[in-house]
Amino acid sequence: MAESDYDFQGGDSGASKTIPMQCSALRKGGMVMIKSRPCKIVEMSTSKTGKHGHAKVHLVGLDIFTGKKYEDICPSTHNMDVPNVRRTDYQLVDIDDNFLSLMNDSGETKDDIKLPDNDVGKEIKTKFDNGESILVTVLAAMDEEYAIAVKNMPK
């Protein structure tokens, strides 16, 4: 086998985007994948076991990026995917064509987060236009990133 048979140009840390968890172990306020979307569980109820066995868990979740409501029912013994969610605070450097230019603690910049079309987006724009130093909280899950909160930088 020649050395050129392997291509190691790209790769990632190997961390999974989701982890499996038994339905009965999920809790209100936790995260779960419903219809391939990362959701925060807002309502959860368990039905009794029927004639043929399985108790069912009824889940209602809100998409963590869009706020859209999703529902699912699954047997309590089955596994559901739980998204690997990461929150990071970035310093706002600039706003260019509705994209945020953000800087992390180590000084690296990130320019691929879109300015949200909601109240958070308006607040970011207003504070930036006023010349305030602000931190933007970015939520990342399933290869998606979204600005969810804004706060003033500590003095």
Side-chain angles (χ1 to χ4, degrees):
M1 217 184 240
E3 278 186 39
S4 62
D5 289 350
Y6 297 106
D7 179 24
F8 294 114
Q9 291 292 314
D12 56 19
S13 63
S16 177
K17 293 182 182 100
T18 62
I19 55 168
M21 188 180 278
Q22 194 166 335
C23 239
S24 56
L26 296 170
R27 294 286 168 255
K28 188 175 173 179
M31 301 288 182
V32 69
M33 294 295 292
I34 301 178
K35 295 182 174 66
S36 300
R37 298 294 303 159
C39 296
K40 181 176 185 161
I41 301 169
V42 290
E43 215 176 290
M44 198 173 157
S45 59
T46 308
S47 64
K48 290 202 176 349
T49 55
K51 188 174 174 184
H52 300 291
H54 296 288
K56 299 237 184 318
V57 176
H58 177 244
L59 296 165
V60 178
L62 294 177
D63 188 309
I64 59 174
F65 297 122
T66 64
K68 192 173 171 199
K69 188 176 185 178
Y70 289 96
E71 293 189 46
D72 199 5
I73 296 175
C74 88
S76 63
T77 55
H78 285 203
N79 282 348
M80 285 193 82
D81 286 331
V82 175
N84 207 345
V85 180
R86 211 175 58 250
R87 286 174 81 103
T88 317
D89 283 340
Y90 293 97
Q91 183 179 345
L92 181 63
V93 179
D94 193 15
I95 298 176
D96 186 32
D97 277 343
N98 280 342
F99 280 90
L100 304 175
S101 181
L102 304 168
M103 185 170 63
N104 65 9
D105 293 338
S106 58
E108 297 167 22
T109 57
K110 177 179 203 52
D111 301 309
D112 56 352
I113 308 285
K114 196 166 178 14
L115 184 69
D117 295 332
N118 55 19
D119 293 340
V120 174
K122 289 182 187 115
E123 189 180 349
I124 291 171
K125 187 99 174 91
T126 306
K127 287 184 177 217
F128 179 73
D129 289 343
N130 292 342
E132 296 178 42
S133 294
I134 56 173
L135 288 175
V136 177
T137 304
V138 174
L139 208 59
M142 302 300 297
D143 291 333
E144 281 186 63
E145 292 180 307
Y146 196 75
I148 57 150
V150 60
K151 59 188 172 197
N152 289 332
M153 291 243 330
K155 302 251 181 276

